[in-house]
Amino acid sequence: MSFQQDPYGTGSPYLDGQMLVAMPGMMDERFARAVIYVCAHSPEGAMGIILNRPAGNLNMPDLLVQLEIVPEPERIHLPERVGRIQVLMGGPVETSRGFVLHSPDFHLAQSTLPIDDGVCLTATIDILRAIAQGRGPQQAVLALGYAGWGAGQLEHELQANGWLICPADAELIFSTPAEIRYEMALRRIGIEPAMLSMDAGHA
């Protein structure tokens, strides 16, 4: 079966709006145990956001102050939900750039890319200003950087069994703690994480 004939059973030859879950044998350390939401996938390549790498001690209010969107004295007046927005290390490409995955209740003309029914991507500073002012989306995560693949590269990794494909949903992206997204994504496709361990014994 060729790539064009939908070898992954998703109903489309492309994986926009799906999640990739790294197999235990993933050779690239940058993607070990990664869960990646695929934002764009075409014959030219693919890009996605790693969902389970929290950005250390960096939080959304810190970031808004660092970017001078909010002066430090105003930080205390930020809407409460701003502090609940997760900041992630989204991938090794353009790590100084921010990408916001968010619910579809917020849209900026020319800037917001709807990916599927429950998730959009906006990568301009205007969405951060809106979030700071309480006008942003109800649900959001901010990623610094992204994961990228050249033409045919992701297809090759899939055929080499580097990734499992998992249907995405807003709950897993916005509401599940980053630390357990890997296990939750595996369970969504009926796999117990222990079953995938490279050290697992035989039944």
Side-chain angles (χ1 to χ4, degrees):
M1 183 181 280
S2 72
F3 173 61
Q4 284 74 20
Q5 291 175 298
D6 183 22
Y8 315 121
T10 61
S12 162
Y14 302 115
L15 300 177
D16 320 51
Q18 304 279 327
M19 291 194 300
L20 302 172
V21 184
M23 290 285 280
M26 172 61 68
M27 301 303 291
D28 191 333
E29 278 299 310
R30 296 173 301 173
F31 299 119
R33 289 179 60 85
V35 177
I36 299 180
Y37 180 74
V38 181
C39 300
H41 187 200
S42 74
E44 286 74 51
M47 74 83 65
I49 302 294
I50 299 176
L51 294 174
N52 60 332
R53 301 273 164 82
N57 296 322
L58 188 61
N59 60 43
M60 193 67 165
D62 288 343
L63 205 63
L64 294 174
V65 170
Q66 283 181 24
L67 293 172
E68 299 181 354
I69 292 170
V70 177
E72 176 64 50
E74 295 295 312
R75 173 195 178 109
I76 194 169
H77 301 301
L78 284 169
E80 182 186 343
R81 64 189 168 103
V82 172
R84 295 197 296 266
I85 295 176
Q86 295 178 334
V87 181
L88 306 169
M89 299 308 298
V93 185
E94 291 194 61
T95 54
S96 61
R97 190 173 169 202
F99 298 84
V100 180
L101 288 175
H102 59 89
S103 49
D105 54 347
F106 179 86
H107 188 274
L108 288 172
Q110 314 299 314
S111 299
T112 297
L113 171 70
I115 300 169
D116 65 21
D117 290 344
V119 185
C120 299
L121 174 71
T122 304
T124 61
I125 202 152
D126 294 331
I127 190 172
L128 299 184
R129 292 195 182 102
I131 287 169
Q133 294 163 7
R135 299 184 295 105
Q138 283 295 315
Q139 295 179 299
V141 295
L142 171 71
L144 300 174
Y146 67 93
W149 293 265
Q153 187 180 358
L154 179 54
E155 289 77 15
H156 175 76
E157 291 179 13
L158 285 160
Q159 287 161 0
N161 295 320
W163 301 97
L164 292 167
I165 297 167
C166 172
D169 64 59
E171 182 188 354
L172 204 124
I173 295 169
F174 301 122
S175 305
T176 304
E179 295 77 7
I180 62 169
R181 283 188 179 127
Y182 184 77
E183 288 78 10
M184 293 298 291
L186 287 174
R187 290 189 174 117
R188 288 279 161 94
I189 49 177
I191 296 173
E192 273 302 314
M195 289 166 56
L196 268 190
S197 169
M198 297 197 64
D199 302 318
H202 298 291

